[in-house]
Amino acid sequence: MAQVQRMSRLMVKTLRDDPADAETLSHKLLVRAGYVRRNAAGIWSWLPLGKRVLENVTRVVREEMDAIGAQEVLLPALLPKEPYEATGRWEEYGAELFRLKDRKGADYLLGPTHEEIFTQLVKDQCTSYKDLPVILYQIQTKYRDEARPRSGILRGREFQMKDSYSFDTSDEGLARSYALHREAYVRIFERLGLKHKIVSAVSGAMGGSASEEFLAPAPAGEDTFVYCPSCDYAANTEAVTFALAPVEGAAHGPVEELDTPDTPTIETLADHLGVPASATLKNLLVKVDGEIVAVGVPGNREVDLGKLGDHLAPAEVELVTAEDFVDRPDLVRGYVGPQGLEKVRYIADPRIAPGTAWITGANRAGFHAKNVVAGRDFEVDDYLDVVVVEDGDPCPSCGTGLKLDRAIEIGHIFQLGRKYADAFQLDVLGQNGKPVRVTMGSYGVGVSRAVAALAEQTADEQGLCWPREIAPADVHVVAAGKALQTELALDVAEQLGAAGLRVLVDDRAGVSPGVKFTDAELIGVPKILVAGRRSAEGVLELKDRRTGEREELTVADAVARLRG
């Protein structure tokens, strides 16, 4: 069956200039090439060419999910509040959750993920161990009320996602389901042509234990990850850990108070004393569910508030303000030290190990103290790895200096365990006739985000440059302008379509050859076939969009070459 789309009948409007609000390459090119159109901040329409690419990504994802025995369903996007209250996520999600009320005042939400609803479905449908294991998935629109929607479809408030969920009766079964998904994701991204890294990650509001992200390295990425050049270690920066290594046998003198006027910052203190910032102890005050907590890190490092929030979730973490000091005269702004602190929980990074000595605040204005030793002069309530990871930090596996890179998150897999099963008392009857609590996994692929990630990784100076698997067509036939050339272009397009190829043919009248060639480069179909100056001889020019290689072929040879 012919698969030919004439551009004279296609709704596509290409642009010569970048959109004024576009920052990333994918945002610029997908709009300019007529793939997507902005409706509002973070809300996008998929136009015919874009919908083809999106459907091709969806097809690959669906085929690989079906290959591991997963069953596709479709659940509602409009969801009741009660299931999310049962797991605590109604509050944990915070401002990013779209909440709404119906005409009767009942609370609903637009689903960001569907763990609760899938758990209820399985509780209703599966009653015996014989019904498990089962993997269910859907490909559906999800919603997140982003504070700053940006980067086009990379960070929208409405997006396409594949979410799947595994249900097993044992931890060993969960491990097998997790491994099946991990392997399927590798195949998905390889078929899509996406360069990717698998990195250790944190579970966040999803809950559970083991968690890995699939990241597509790209300058436009909003995720920062680390990798080791000497071993296979890779992790999201929020998942990097530093081992606690107590210092034994070091002799330190007694605590000595230092007169340090006008030194409320690490920089001013280090300059005043002529010491490196790494010799000082920085104490950041935050509020955790309203309670003031001190966080200690080396003076040359910054606190990663995202890491801290993940460690303390679901508690809310925020920085203290000047007003918070009014009722706490024991907390001297700019001169806080852990020694002598009362009624303040003290969290420290593992680098503040027992036996290490520091210069830190003396808890009175204009004074600091030196030889303040962890474990001798102050105690740490909790050790948490909370510093911002830096290039060159030691690899947790082999000690080599880590490297930092930016990437786009395209997939995430979780071993959830029994968090959601516990919330809904999801049990099945076991082989011994007794109830068995089900264990779960959750697995997501950003379908629409994968389109943007591919654009970021594969585009060049001329425009988009799609891999064949997801391109809107296999070949873009261009008629250079004259009637003879248009006739030949349409004829060869029909032959290619009859051979099973997807064909986009530029037969637009009144459009110059230069504009047609520019649009062909911008739209990014893998092969461009031009009916040009040698059309009268039945000779066409075939161009590889990625390499730029060109060759002249007869119609028969061109059809044979493209058909493969």
Side-chain angles (χ1 to χ4, degrees):
M1 178 180 176
Q3 304 177 60
V4 177
Q5 174 65 62
R6 294 190 180 194
M7 286 189 68
S8 60
R9 300 173 186 171
L10 177 67
M11 191 178 75
V12 60
K13 182 179 180 181
T14 58
L15 305 174
R16 299 279 77 83
D17 300 317
D18 295 333
D21 62 337
E23 298 176 356
T24 61
L25 186 62
S26 60
H27 186 178
K28 295 172 184 176
L29 293 178
L30 289 170
V31 172
R32 283 184 53 207
Y35 281 74
V36 297
R37 179 181 178 274
R38 182 182 182 274
N39 296 97
I43 303 174
W44 293 84
S45 293
W46 291 83
L47 306 184
L49 288 176
K51 185 64 162 57
R52 289 188 182 194
V53 172
L54 184 66
E55 287 300 320
N56 286 334
V57 174
T58 301
R59 171 181 50 79
V60 170
V61 172
R62 180 175 284 117
E63 288 173 357
E64 294 298 340
M65 291 305 301
D66 291 346
I68 63 171
Q71 302 174 60
E72 185 172 7
V73 297
L74 182 60
L75 274 59
L78 178 64
L79 304 171
K81 170 186 179 181
E82 289 75 18
Y84 288 79
E85 266 194 325
T87 60
R89 293 210 300 170
W90 177 261
E91 295 298 333
E92 285 176 26
Y93 254 107
E96 289 190 347
L97 190 67
F98 272 108
R99 298 171 173 86
L100 63 154
K101 292 181 181 289
D102 69 5
R103 66 182 66 194
K104 298 178 181 178
D107 288 305
Y108 290 83
L109 65 129
L110 295 178
T113 60
H114 277 62
E115 281 76 8
E116 288 84 351
I117 312 304
F118 272 87
T119 304
Q120 290 184 320
L121 174 63
V122 171
K123 181 178 175 66
D124 179 64
Q125 298 291 316
C126 301
T127 57
S128 166
Y129 74 94
K130 297 178 181 178
D131 300 323
L132 302 180
V134 67
I135 298 173
L136 303 173
Y137 79 97
Q138 63 176 348
I139 299 173
Q140 187 207 46
T141 302
K142 305 291 186 184
Y143 300 88
R144 184 179 297 124
D145 193 0
E146 292 282 357
R148 289 183 60 239
R150 56 195 181 276
S151 303
I153 59 171
L154 264 180
R155 198 166 188 83
R157 296 196 288 176
E158 177 184 280
F159 50 95
Q160 293 290 309
M161 179 177 165
K162 186 284 302 178
D163 53 324
S164 56
Y165 306 87
S166 63
F167 298 84
D168 290 270
T169 56
S170 68
D171 293 340
E172 293 77 16
L174 170 58
R176 286 191 293 271
S177 296
Y178 186 91
L180 281 174
H181 277 86
R182 197 178 194 272
E183 293 162 4
Y185 278 29
V186 169
R187 290 192 297 272
I188 286 169
F189 298 130
E190 286 179 347
R191 285 182 62 184
L192 294 180
L194 270 169
K195 300 172 185 174
H196 64 278
K197 288 268 191 182
I198 306 174
V199 306
S200 300
V202 294
S203 297
M206 299 290 290
S209 53
S211 171
E212 291 177 295
E213 289 179 342
F214 290 74
L215 301 179
E222 293 190 332
D223 275 41
T224 303
F225 74 99
V226 298
Y227 65 94
C228 178
S230 298
C231 71
D232 60 358
Y233 179 82
N236 186 298
T237 53
E238 293 183 359
V240 178
T241 57
F242 183 86
L244 179 65
V247 177
E248 299 179 0
H252 300 291
V255 174
E256 181 181 343
E257 199 167 87
L258 306 173
D259 186 2
T260 54
D262 301 318
T263 57
T265 67
I266 294 296
E267 291 75 16
T268 54
L269 175 63
D271 287 344
H272 180 81
L273 297 177
V275 298
S278 58
T280 68
L281 174 59
K282 179 187 298 182
N283 300 288
L284 180 72
L285 297 182
V286 298
K287 288 190 292 186
V288 180
D289 282 346
E291 176 191 356
I292 292 180
V293 173
V295 182
V297 300
N300 63 330
R301 305 302 290 258
E302 298 297 328
V303 175
D304 187 328
L305 292 174
K307 262 190 179 181
L308 181 63
D310 287 333
H311 282 303
L312 300 179
E316 182 180 351
V317 178
E318 57 185 328
L319 293 172
V320 298
T321 64
E323 290 73 22
D324 294 311
F325 288 90
V326 173
D327 297 325
R328 294 295 302 267
D330 56 317
L331 300 176
V332 184
R333 193 173 189 180
Y335 296 91
V336 172
Q339 69 286 5
L341 276 183
E342 297 181 358
K343 300 179 182 178
V344 175
R345 178 184 174 192
Y346 194 73
I347 296 172
D349 187 80
R351 294 164 180 83
I352 316 301
T356 55
W358 305 91
I359 299 170
T360 189
N363 295 310
R364 65 187 185 114
F367 289 87
H368 283 82
K370 73 175 184 178
N371 296 330
V372 179
V373 179
R376 186 191 74 178
D377 303 310
F378 67 92
E379 296 296 331
V380 174
D381 294 306
D382 297 286
Y383 276 106
L384 301 176
D385 196 314
V386 294
V387 300
V388 174
V389 177
E390 295 180 356
D391 199 80
D393 278 351
C395 171
S397 294
C398 71
T400 302
L402 295 170
K403 300 290 186 182
L404 287 168
D405 202 355
R406 300 197 67 78
I408 299 164
E409 182 184 341
I410 50 176
H412 206 152
I413 55 179
F414 303 84
Q415 289 190 33
L416 293 178
R418 295 173 176 81
K419 171 182 176 178
Y420 297 90
D422 286 342
F424 296 101
Q425 297 183 331
L426 174 55
D427 297 325
V428 295
L429 200 62
Q431 286 181 282
N432 60 2
K434 297 180 179 179
V436 175
R437 183 60 43 96
V438 173
T439 185
M440 290 173 57
S442 173
Y443 319 89
V445 169
V447 175
S448 52
R449 176 170 277 211
V451 175
L454 269 166
E456 291 288 340
Q457 286 191 346
T458 62
D460 59 20
E461 296 81 3
Q462 283 73 46
L464 298 164
C465 194
W466 300 112
R468 181 169 179 172
E469 183 85 53
I470 72 151
D474 298 314
V475 58
H476 187 154
V477 180
V478 178
K482 297 179 181 178
L484 176 64
Q485 295 162 337
T486 300
E487 183 180 341
L488 179 60
L490 290 172
D491 178 64
V492 73
E494 291 299 328
Q495 291 187 50
L496 291 167
L501 294 171
R502 301 165 300 145
V503 185
L504 182 64
V505 56
D506 194 343
D507 62 332
R508 293 175 294 175
V511 178
S512 71
V515 170
K516 290 184 178 182
F517 296 147
T518 299
D519 283 351
E521 300 280 359
L522 179 61
I523 289 170
V525 172
K527 300 291 184 181
I528 301 171
L529 190 62
V530 180
R533 58 186 177 81
R534 297 189 64 187
S535 292
E537 305 168 51
V539 176
L540 306 166
E541 181 184 80
L542 179 62
K543 178 181 178 180
D544 186 284
R545 173 65 186 85
R546 180 172 302 283
T547 66
E549 294 178 357
R550 303 168 185 263
E551 60 179 321
E552 291 187 335
L553 299 167
T554 64
V555 171
D557 288 343
V559 172
R561 176 73 58 82
L562 290 166
R563 184 171 50 197

